[in-house]
Amino acid sequence: MEGDCAESLVTIKNIERELICPACKELFTHPLILPCQHSICHKCVKELLLLTLDDSFNDVASESSCHSSPRLRVQSPSMDKIDRINRAGMINYSGWKRNSLTPRTTTFPCPGCEHDIDLGERGINGLFRNFTLETIVERYRQAARAATAIMCDLCKPPPQESTKSCMDCSASYCNECFKIYHPWGTVKAQHEYVGPTTNFRPKILMCPEHEMERVNMYCELCRRPVCHLCKLGGNHSNHRVTTISSAYKTLKEKLSKDIDYLIGKESQVKSQISELNLLMKETECNGERAKEEATSHFDKLFEVLEEKKSSIIKAIDVSKKLRLDKFQTQMEEYQGLLENNGLVGYAQEVLKETDQSCFVQTAKQLHLRIQKATESLKTFRPAAQTSFEDYVVDASKQEELLGELAFFSNGVDIPEINEEQSKIYNKALICWHHPEKKNKADSYILEYRKISREEEMLTWNEIEVHSTNKVISDLESNSSYAFRVRGYKGSVCSPCSKEVIFHTTPAPVFSFLFDEKCGYNNEHLLLNLKRDRVDSRAGFSLLLAAERIQVGCYTSLDYIIGDTGITKGKHFWALRVEPYSYMVKVGVASNDKLQEWLHNPRDISSPRYEQDSGHDSGSEDTCFDSAQPFTLVTVGMKKFFVPKSPTSSNEPENRVLPMPTCIGIFLDYDKGKVGFYDADHMKCLYERQVDCSGTMYPAFALMGSGGIQLEEPIAAKYLEYQNDM
């Protein structure tokens, strides 16, 4: 028994880093689950919100006397400052200004992932407490303090050790206090009690947005529990939900499977840990060696500089001595011209000679010297220069070179995957380039792998490429793949580029062209020779006759369909609607419905008539719940219009989305479901049931000016970009 307890203690202690709040770096206290799925202490969220709100007040932000919070590694406002903030704006944590007419949303960076988190109008009140994490933290605390007892909350000092905790009262009691506060025969006697604990969690998890409703569903898009009111008319009305029991079963199975997988890979993990230890030792040795080499290079530079310094200083000293000697000689000559000094004194002594022959013998040479000294007085010129301009050291170029001193490049720039040129459709076209455009590689290794927990995450598929793009054909549908590339120049290899993730189509790509026979109106529609593009010119003849039109005139929808039908399986196709298009409808329709649309006579002159308005059995406004043999969505004026739904808000602002550059359509014939996607990001914008009892065709309709271009399949033979792109 003691061995089991010790083993449990070790296990609990080993998970300590999972129980640390990313903001305060301490054990979680009442953790809340943020929209990004990271958890953070309730107190830390409040302090982060205060810091965010504090920045919005200039008079408060200018002060720098904030006291440091003991829980956060960032500055926290003092209580005086908090009071001033509350008085200035009367702001509560739910995100509202009480004296404001509009709600104020509160955004702050998540300490875990650093993404901006918008708590919306409800603020902290809209977040779930992470009770599971709380329970685990409590277990850890108990294991850590082991012998530390939980004292009774109701005893008079000194309190006794508690023997049980009441989950309804959220308090711990000793035996005597429990009998006093839970007398037999009363309602309190029916309270639920457990062993001593400090973790009190509610019996039922309530919805934070609808406080009187318990959560009974799970939103698959937001990955959080919701109540039925959230689904009926709240923020999750358009989201796919499942029951809590189903989500519990699914997530528990996945988690158990993941844990079993990791446990089964324990030997592999240990071997990789050993490999990491060796790599750490190798890194330590290589780092020390690199330091020694760098020190050696700098020592050589110092030696060169010292040698150069010595030679330059010596040259300056020699020049200085030579000039000083010249000045000294010149100065001594001039001192001789002074009375009783040098040449003048000597001449004065010669004048005292009375013997004429002796005087003449000496005076001639003396007279020449005095004449020369006299001339030098008239044209004084220093014997040397005082300036050392020729000895100024110009080290600007060397300083610039030393400033650019850096680690030696291996000669190959790191390539970068170009997400704009890359494309995923029937195949994957991955393009890359060199941002610096200096040292391009001669060849490349493109690596890719499927992102799946069931697959070995360390295994990369490698392809050698001699251009800056590659078409890959063996990718699975409805999957995510990571790509990266590295360059080679000879035997020198660059580091890998940053990983880029692309999502494949939800089903295999369905190939078809526009049908030029069935229902095609060549007076209103213009089809190109390849039959992959159609343009509407329905309003052109109307403009030619516009001078005769004096009353309202109405145009009709012109239909065109694909030339291939679908009778089973999953299929996906994509198209591009020209931005100038007035109104375009895209989707699927059954053969029978198309025959009805294309061949039945219609009164198109009535302003009350609309081919898709609901005056037939296909009304999407009046038959929300029943699956119809067609589904079309409207695109036009650079907008994507989501059809009305009884389970979501039908306000215009919720139904109008920006038009995607590329629109994808996914038809699951067997399940009778059609979805519309932003094909560039493989994001589903709208889906609904459709009656697939007959042959289904891709269907299109245009009104006014407009154009539709079918997405061209990727083919390696013509999608080879040049290296200089």
Side-chain angles (χ1 to χ4, degrees):
M1 185 69 179
E2 292 179 359
D4 293 340
C5 291
E7 183 178 352
S8 175
L9 177 62
V10 172
T11 303
I12 287 293
K13 285 190 174 182
N14 287 342
I15 67 171
E16 178 177 359
R17 69 175 187 173
E18 301 294 333
L19 312 180
I20 299 297
C21 172
C24 62
K25 308 302 181 186
E26 297 180 7
L27 289 176
F28 281 107
T29 304
H30 304 306
L32 301 177
I33 304 176
L34 300 179
C36 60
Q37 302 303 305
H38 289 107
S39 294
I40 183 174
C41 296
H42 182 274
K43 180 179 178 182
C44 295
V45 176
K46 292 170 67 175
E47 292 180 344
L48 285 171
L49 279 176
L50 283 172
L51 289 174
T52 304
L53 295 175
D54 185 28
D55 292 338
S56 65
F57 294 97
N58 293 330
D59 60 329
V60 178
S62 61
E63 299 178 14
S64 59
S65 58
C66 294
H67 296 161
S68 180
S69 168
R71 290 182 57 82
L72 283 175
R73 300 300 174 92
V74 293
Q75 283 192 333
S76 175
S78 64
M79 292 307 297
D80 292 339
K81 184 174 290 186
I82 294 172
D83 291 340
R84 287 199 300 274
I85 294 173
N86 289 333
R87 288 196 299 269
M90 298 300 289
I91 300 174
N92 60 17
Y93 296 123
S94 64
W96 283 80
K97 270 190 175 182
R98 296 179 188 173
N99 59 353
S100 175
L101 298 178
T102 58
R104 171 195 178 106
T105 57
T106 305
T107 303
F108 67 92
C110 169
C113 61
E114 298 183 356
H115 287 91
D116 286 340
I117 302 301
D118 189 354
L119 298 184
E121 298 177 2
R122 291 185 56 81
I124 292 181
N125 296 333
L127 299 177
F128 279 106
R129 271 177 66 182
N130 195 337
F131 291 110
T132 302
L133 179 57
E134 251 184 86
T135 302
I136 297 173
V137 170
E138 175 61 21
R139 272 192 242 139
Y140 174 82
R141 292 183 189 275
Q142 291 181 0
R145 62 188 175 225
T148 304
I150 298 176
M151 309 309 291
C152 176
D153 293 326
L154 281 304
C155 276
K156 295 181 179 179
Q160 300 295 316
E161 183 177 339
S162 64
T163 57
K164 54 179 68 71
S165 296
C166 178
M167 302 304 292
D168 295 278
C169 301
S170 299
S172 298
Y173 301 88
C174 62
N175 284 331
E176 295 301 322
C177 290
F178 187 81
K179 293 177 183 178
I180 295 173
Y181 290 97
H182 296 77
W184 183 260
T186 64
V187 175
K188 285 191 174 183
Q190 307 300 320
H191 284 186
E192 178 185 358
Y193 60 91
V194 295
T197 182
T198 57
N199 180 38
F200 301 99
R201 53 191 286 179
K203 297 179 180 179
I204 301 174
L205 190 61
M206 308 301 289
C207 176
E209 296 186 15
H210 308 93
E211 298 177 357
M212 301 304 294
E213 300 293 332
R214 61 181 297 177
V215 296
N216 54 6
M217 286 182 268
Y218 181 80
C219 178
E220 296 181 356
L221 180 62
C222 300
R223 295 181 297 174
R224 62 175 292 173
V226 296
C227 70
H228 69 284
L229 293 181
C230 293
K231 175 59 180 173
L232 287 178
N235 296 330
H236 307 269
S237 56
N238 288 328
H239 299 175
R240 181 184 298 173
V241 300
T242 184
T243 61
I244 281 290
S245 59
S246 176
Y248 169 80
K249 181 180 178 181
T250 301
L251 293 174
K252 191 164 187 176
E253 287 178 356
K254 287 183 178 180
L255 186 58
S256 300
K257 187 176 180 180
D258 291 342
I259 293 173
D260 292 340
Y261 174 82
L262 292 176
I263 293 175
K265 297 291 182 179
E266 185 173 354
S267 59
Q268 180 180 345
V269 172
K270 289 181 179 178
S271 67
Q272 290 171 356
I273 291 175
S274 301
E275 183 179 352
L276 289 173
N277 284 326
L278 293 175
L279 292 175
M280 290 175 64
K281 293 179 181 178
E282 184 179 351
T283 301
E284 184 73 25
C285 295
N286 291 340
E288 292 299 321
R289 188 182 300 112
K291 284 171 59 178
E292 292 175 1
E293 291 178 356
T295 302
S296 174
H297 288 306
F298 278 102
D299 288 342
K300 290 180 180 179
L301 285 176
F302 293 152
E303 290 176 5
V304 172
L305 289 173
E306 284 294 334
E307 183 179 348
K308 202 68 176 175
K309 174 184 174 183
S310 299
S311 63
I312 289 176
I313 296 300
K314 183 177 180 181
I316 293 174
D317 286 339
V318 170
S319 178
K320 182 181 72 171
K321 184 176 184 303
L322 182 60
R323 296 183 189 192
L324 291 175
D325 290 344
K326 290 182 178 180
F327 280 125
Q328 184 65 33
T329 301
Q330 187 178 22
M331 186 175 64
E332 290 176 354
E333 290 178 354
Y334 274 84
Q335 285 179 343
L337 300 180
L338 298 176
E339 186 178 1
N340 300 324
N341 284 326
L343 183 60
V344 174
Y346 174 66
Q348 289 175 342
E349 293 297 327
V350 171
L351 287 175
K352 296 178 182 180
E353 177 63 47
T354 58
D355 187 326
Q356 294 181 358
S357 58
C358 291
F359 176 81
V360 171
Q361 181 185 12
T362 306
K364 182 60 178 176
Q365 181 65 26
L366 180 61
H367 181 255
L368 292 175
R369 290 178 61 190
I370 290 176
Q371 279 186 329
K372 185 178 180 181
T374 303
E375 290 176 359
S376 67
L377 287 174
K378 296 178 181 179
T379 57
F380 175 75
R381 183 176 297 172
Q385 293 183 356
T386 59
S387 172
F388 279 79
E389 293 180 355
D390 296 338
Y391 291 85
V392 175
V393 177
D394 182 10
S396 57
K397 293 182 179 179
Q398 288 74 14
E399 288 177 2
E400 184 177 351
L401 290 175
L402 287 174
E404 295 176 355
L405 189 65
F407 295 110
F408 174 71
S409 172
N410 59 16
V412 183
D413 291 338
I414 302 176
E416 186 176 286
I417 293 179
N418 191 322
E419 297 185 54
E420 293 183 358
Q421 289 186 357
S422 299
K423 175 183 174 183
I424 302 288
Y425 194 43
N426 59 317
K427 300 176 183 179
L429 170 66
I430 308 301
C431 304
W432 56 89
H433 66 288
H434 288 279
E436 299 296 330
K437 295 184 178 181
K438 293 180 180 178
N439 300 318
K440 294 184 179 180
D442 299 327
S443 62
Y444 303 89
I445 296 295
L446 175 63
E447 300 180 350
Y448 66 96
R449 69 180 180 186
K450 182 181 178 182
I451 301 177
S452 171
R453 294 187 179 182
E454 286 76 16
E455 300 293 335
E456 180 55 59
M457 292 301 293
L458 295 180
T459 302
W460 288 85
N461 300 301
E462 295 186 353
I463 303 176
E464 185 176 0
V465 187
H466 293 280
S467 62
T468 55
N469 62 85
K470 181 63 179 176
V471 174
I472 303 174
S473 306
D474 59 347
L475 303 184
E476 298 179 14
S477 301
N478 197 26
S479 303
S480 297
Y481 284 85
F483 296 86
R484 67 185 186 187
V485 64
R486 63 180 186 270
Y488 280 87
K489 179 178 285 188
S491 60
V492 179
C493 174
S494 76
C496 286
S497 67
K498 179 183 177 182
E499 290 185 25
V500 176
I501 296 176
F502 291 107
H503 304 281
T504 59
T505 57
V509 171
F510 180 60
S511 297
F512 67 92
L513 299 173
F514 288 118
D515 194 334
E516 60 181 347
K517 298 178 181 178
C518 183
Y520 171 61
N521 185 343
N522 57 9
E523 294 182 0
H524 291 174
L525 300 178
L526 178 63
L527 195 61
N528 68 349
L529 294 177
K530 294 172 63 176
R531 293 196 291 124
D532 64 351
R533 179 183 176 87
V534 63
D535 290 276
S536 172
R537 53 182 182 181
F540 189 72
S541 59
L542 189 65
L543 291 174
L544 289 175
E547 68 273 8
R548 299 194 302 271
I549 298 176
Q550 302 299 331
V551 295
C553 183
Y554 301 89
T555 61
S556 63
L557 281 168
D558 293 297
Y559 283 88
I560 189 169
I561 65 173
D563 61 358
T564 306
I566 299 172
T567 56
K568 63 179 180 180
K570 299 178 180 179
H571 304 275
F572 181 85
W573 61 94
L575 54 103
R576 296 178 185 270
V577 176
E578 293 294 344
Y580 62 78
S581 300
Y582 172 66
M583 189 174 84
V584 173
K585 286 178 174 286
V586 297
V588 295
S590 67
N591 183 49
D592 294 339
K593 194 66 181 179
L594 289 170
Q595 294 297 327
E596 177 186 337
W597 285 342
L598 298 175
H599 298 294
N600 286 355
R602 305 182 189 282
D603 177 14
I604 63 172
S605 62
S606 170
R608 304 181 67 84
Y609 175 78
E610 183 184 352
Q611 288 167 294
D612 196 23
S613 65
H615 294 292
D616 56 13
S617 61
S619 170
E620 294 186 19
D621 291 349
T622 59
C623 303
F624 287 124
D625 300 326
S626 59
Q628 301 298 314
F630 74 96
T631 295
L632 299 173
V633 297
T634 303
V635 181
M637 301 178 68
K638 299 182 181 181
K639 302 294 182 184
F640 181 95
F641 297 88
V642 178
K644 292 182 179 179
S645 170
T647 60
S648 62
S649 173
N650 291 314
E651 296 297 327
E653 59 269 17
N654 296 327
R655 295 181 52 223
V656 180
L657 306 176
M659 184 179 75
T661 304
C662 186
I663 299 173
I665 300 175
F666 168 51
L667 176 64
D668 188 341
Y669 186 95
D670 300 330
K671 292 185 178 180
K673 185 178 294 185
V674 63
F676 297 84
Y677 283 71
D678 177 351
D680 287 334
H681 304 92
M682 291 304 165
K683 177 183 178 182
C684 184
L685 304 176
Y686 171 72
E687 70 174 10
R688 65 162 294 161
Q689 294 297 123
V690 63
D691 181 6
C692 293
S693 56
T695 303
M696 306 298 291
Y697 287 87
F700 312 87
L702 298 93
M703 176 184 287
S705 61
I708 301 174
Q709 172 71 55
L710 297 181
E711 188 70 2
E712 190 172 6
I714 297 173
K717 62 182 180 181
Y718 66 89
L719 277 175
E720 292 291 336
Y721 285 88
Q722 299 298 321
N723 289 336
D724 58 354
M725 288 188 64

